[in-house]
Amino acid sequence: MKEQIKTYFNRYVEFDDAEIDAIYEKLEEKIFKKKTFLLEENTICRHNYFILKGVVRLFYIDAKGHEKITQFAIDNWWITHMESFINQIPSSQYLQAVEDTTVLCLSKYNLELLYKEYPKLERMFRLVTENMLIANLRKSDIYLQMKSKERYTFFVEKLPDFAQRVPQYMIASYLEITPEYLSELRRQRN
Amino acid sequence: MKEQIKTYFNRYVEFDDAEIDAIYEKLEEKIFKKKTFLLEENTICRHNYFILKGVVRLFYIDAKGHEKITQFAIDNWWITHMESFINQIPSSQYLQAVEDTTVLCLSKYNLELLYKEYPKLERMFRLVTENMLIANLRKSDIYLQMKSKERYTFFVEKLPDFAQRVPQYMIASYLEITPEYLSELRRQRN
DNA sequence: GATCATTCTTAAGATATCTTAATTTTTACC
DNA sequence: GGTAAAAATTAAGATATCTTAAGAATGATC
């Protein structure tokens, strides 16, 4: 487990083993069974989660009572409700395990401690956050340019890791399509 | 001008005057006349721009030849094409002054130098990037939950600074509405 | 102040996507 | 292996939004 996080961290900034050990000590490993909530609506998100293995979704319930998925995350991704975690305010969304998921929990408190002690970590998260921002901007661009059908083929082709581990109605939700319409799109040849 | 950037920087991290001076030296002030391009499609974005005064838009031309605006920025905002700037790859979008605009240009090269010399800056941009990410996620949520009409009233009410300085067809583009349809929405009382 | 360019509006017909509701298929569990 | 729960499909009617094309209004320039 420590190997996995070490490999990940060193992709961004070089940490020596002592540093990794010290950081690792502040992380708590936890298992969330399928359908378990890592975070519920209206509660403050105290952790940023690093997924060692599994799938997690972030979603909210809309005015009509339907779930709308805004983010998925799998192995080697960080997931949290950003606004809630960063500003320590109540979350408008839920974080839930889509399959049995093992995570490393990094509390806001420990993170701030670590930032003080290891400025390198400031750099790492600056880089990680930049990547998240770019990914997010890219997602917006895709939704802006593509119709439902294209979004679906794009998703299935470009993110097979997700497409295979997540039920179709969740993909529909993430792609901002009703499950019924996605079903119709799939029927149209190809 | 230096006062303005000092105030801005100190909102995130405390810098002393010597540090501000040193950072300020690496910034180049520039004026872009209305309709001038700060960045053109297919070129690498070499700078991150801090807007001292003015309005800038980020947009691309879609398959049908229509301009699609993805971001606006006004006084005291950073604007760049993130993916192009961070990874120094050709940009898929244009950056253009909507009105006469004064900016401070921070080159990728100078930024990397400054990161090495002033780790505090690493922290500042980590925080700035987090805020950008949160703003972006929030924007996505809004587009997900609101119909065109609501997006428009939301925009006009919540961002009057933009609404007043930008022509209506640009607002339409930013809100992902055709100008014709926005016109119709406005006619519907209120 | 006239003229050209830019921006905004109007309206009719087209289309992508949703809603609802019922049915079928697949999966999970005792 | 049978039954209940979850997921996926089908179809008909409704609706938000777009497209096209033309005209009106506003603003900028000599």
Side-chain angles (χ1 to χ4, degrees), chain A residues 1-13 15 19-21 23-25 27 49-52 76-78 103-106 121 124-125:
Chain A
M1 300 297 100
K2 205 192 281 186
E3 265 313 302
Q4 191 174 343
I5 199 88
K6 188 180 159 189
T7 307
Y8 177 87
F9 274 48
N10 283 324
R11 277 219 302 266
Y12 290 96
V13 183
F15 290 92
E19 289 167 328
I20 292 286
D21 287 352
I23 293 167
Y24 190 75
E25 279 219 346
L27 299 169
Y49 300 98
F50 181 81
I51 303 182
L52 290 169
N76 292 310
W77 289 44
W78 290 96
V103 299
L104 291 173
C105 310
L106 173 53
L121 206 65
M124 191 192 83
F125 276 106

Side-chain angles (χ1 to χ4, degrees), chain A residues 60 68-71 82-83 86-87 93 112 115 122-123 125-126 129-130 132-134 136-138 140-141 144-145 176, chain B residues 60 68-71 82-83 86-87 93 112 115 122-123 125-126 129-130 132-134 136-138 140-141 144-145 176:
Chain A
Y60 70 92
K68 301 270 197 170
I69 297 173
T70 57
Q71 280 178 69
M82 268 294 158
E83 194 166 356
I86 298 288
N87 302 135
Q93 306 199 208
E112 296 297 344
Y115 277 144
E122 200 82 70
R123 178 177 178 83
F125 276 106
R126 195 256 302 162
T129 310
E130 281 175 359
M132 286 178 172
L133 178 58
I134 288 172
N136 210 257
L137 290 166
R138 220 189 268 153
S140 303
D141 286 355
L144 187 51
Q145 292 181 65
E176 296 174 25
Chain B
Y60 71 92
K68 302 271 198 171
I69 297 173
T70 56
Q71 280 179 68
M82 268 294 160
E83 192 165 358
I86 298 288
N87 299 324
Q93 305 199 207
E112 296 296 344
Y115 277 145
E122 199 84 70
R123 178 176 177 83
F125 276 106
R126 195 256 301 160
T129 310
E130 281 176 359
M132 286 178 173
L133 178 57
I134 288 172
N136 209 258
L137 290 167
R138 221 189 269 154
S140 303
D141 285 354
L144 187 50
Q145 293 182 65
E176 296 174 25

Side-chain angles (χ1 to χ4, degrees), chain B residues 6-186:
Chain B
K6 189 180 159 191
T7 307
Y8 177 87
F9 275 47
N10 282 325
R11 277 219 301 266
Y12 291 96
V13 184
E14 272 192 45
F15 290 93
D16 60 41
D17 285 1
E19 289 167 328
I20 293 286
D21 288 353
I23 293 168
Y24 189 75
E25 280 219 345
K26 299 287 187 197
L27 299 170
E28 186 191 354
E29 192 171 322
K30 230 173 175 173
I31 294 176
F32 287 93
K33 286 284 190 191
K34 184 173 176 171
K35 296 198 179 173
T36 306
F37 290 94
L38 289 74
L39 167 70
E40 303 214 32
E41 196 192 23
N42 294 325
T43 65
I44 295 174
C45 188
R46 306 286 180 191
H47 301 90
N48 197 353
Y49 299 97
F50 181 80
I51 303 181
L52 290 170
K53 172 134 195 49
V55 180
V56 169
R57 66 174 181 150
L58 183 69
F59 70 95
Y60 71 92
I61 311 278
D62 76 5
K64 287 177 190 142
H66 296 138
E67 294 174 354
K68 302 271 198 171
I69 297 173
T70 56
Q71 280 179 68
F72 280 122
I74 55 173
D75 314 21
N76 293 310
W77 289 44
W78 289 98
I79 183 84
T80 187
H81 182 83
M82 268 294 160
E83 192 165 358
S84 176
F85 178 71
I86 298 288
N87 299 324
Q88 293 288 289
I89 56 171
S91 169
S92 53
Q93 305 199 207
Y94 299 81
L95 212 43
Q96 188 193 37
V98 173
E99 55 183 50
D100 293 358
T101 298
T102 312
V103 299
L104 291 173
C105 311
L106 173 53
S107 72
K108 175 80 174 168
Y109 181 80
N110 280 336
L111 178 57
E112 296 296 344
L113 285 184
L114 290 169
Y115 277 145
K116 274 185 201 129
E117 206 151 344
Y118 306 97
K120 276 185 199 175
L121 206 66
E122 199 84 70
R123 178 176 177 83
M124 191 192 84
F125 276 106
R126 195 256 301 160
L127 293 165
V128 168
T129 310
E130 281 176 359
N131 284 167
M132 286 178 173
L133 178 57
I134 288 172
N136 209 258
L137 290 167
R138 221 189 269 154
K139 183 186 171 192
S140 303
D141 285 354
I142 285 170
Y143 283 57
L144 187 50
Q145 293 182 65
M146 295 184 186
K147 301 260 183 218
S148 307
K149 180 77 171 281
E150 298 171 87
R151 288 205 297 278
Y152 178 68
T153 33
F154 184 88
F155 183 85
V156 170
E157 280 168 16
K158 294 292 162 68
L159 300 168
D161 295 349
F162 287 78
Q164 278 156 25
R165 291 162 80 172
V166 163
Q168 191 178 300
Y169 76 94
M170 286 191 190
I171 297 176
S173 173
Y174 180 72
L175 296 176
E176 296 174 25
I177 312 175
T178 56
E180 296 85 357
Y181 189 50
L182 177 56
S183 196
E184 188 181 331
L185 290 174
R186 277 159 50 87

Side-chain angles (χ1 to χ4, degrees), chain A residues 83-94:
Chain A
E83 194 166 356
S84 176
F85 178 71
I86 298 288
N87 302 135
Q88 292 290 287
I89 56 172
S91 168
S92 53
Q93 306 199 208
Y94 299 82

